[in-house]
């Protein structure tokens, strides 16, 4: 999902950048940069989805190890400022989906 979303951002960078520039009063170049950075951030987290399996921690008891495995607990809230809306949104969505 994350890789496909990154590909879609790259595929529609001009349209998205134009919309972002109009809505945010940004330069077109800065809007393109934000879209590109967002796509790269998604790809970074897509890579983690393949390798993250949990951690084994040493216990203070002899012969005991602690296996740490992250499990989704439910809905979360992400407060996003308006200065880089696409990038900040991807920073909330990508880690939540891996």
């Amino acid at each position: 999902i994350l890789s496909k979303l990154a590909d879609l951002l790259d595929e529609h960078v001009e349209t998205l950048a134009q919309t972002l520039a109009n809505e945010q009063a940004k330069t077109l170049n800065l809007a393109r940069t934000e879209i590109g950075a967002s796509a790269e951030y998604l790809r970074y987290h897509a890579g983690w989805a393949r390798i993250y399996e949990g951690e084994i921690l040493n216990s203070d008891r002899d012969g005991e190890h602690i296996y740490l495995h992250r499990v989704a607990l439910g809905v979360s809230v992400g407060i996003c400022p308006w200065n880089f809306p696409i990038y900040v949104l991807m920073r909330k969505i990508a880690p939540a989906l891996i």
Side-chain angles (χ1 to χ4, degrees):
I1 293 174
L2 297 177
S3 294
K4 179 64 176 167
L5 183 54
D7 292 342
L8 286 170
L9 286 176
D10 285 340
E11 191 176 312
H12 300 285
V13 68
E14 286 306 315
T15 305
L16 292 168
Q18 187 63 50
T19 302
L20 188 59
N22 291 338
E23 288 182 358
Q24 297 289 313
K26 293 182 176 205
T27 64
L28 196 53
N29 198 29
L30 184 58
R32 282 187 197 110
T33 301
E34 181 177 346
I35 301 297
S38 299
E40 289 304 312
Y41 193 79
L42 287 169
R43 285 190 183 94
Y44 170 79
H45 275 58
W48 271 105
R50 288 189 211 105
I51 61 173
Y52 187 77
E53 294 182 11
E55 298 176 55
I56 297 176
L57 307 173
N58 290 325
S59 173
D60 54 355
R61 296 183 185 169
D62 289 335
E64 180 181 74
H65 296 286
I66 300 168
Y67 181 68
L68 176 64
H69 184 74
R70 300 182 196 276
V71 178
L73 297 177
V75 177
S76 67
V77 175
I79 300 173
C80 299
W82 291 102
N83 51 350
F84 291 96
I86 304 294
Y87 183 71
V88 173
L89 181 64
M90 294 308 128
R91 287 185 57 198
K92 306 292 183 194
I93 291 173
L97 291 178
I98 58 171

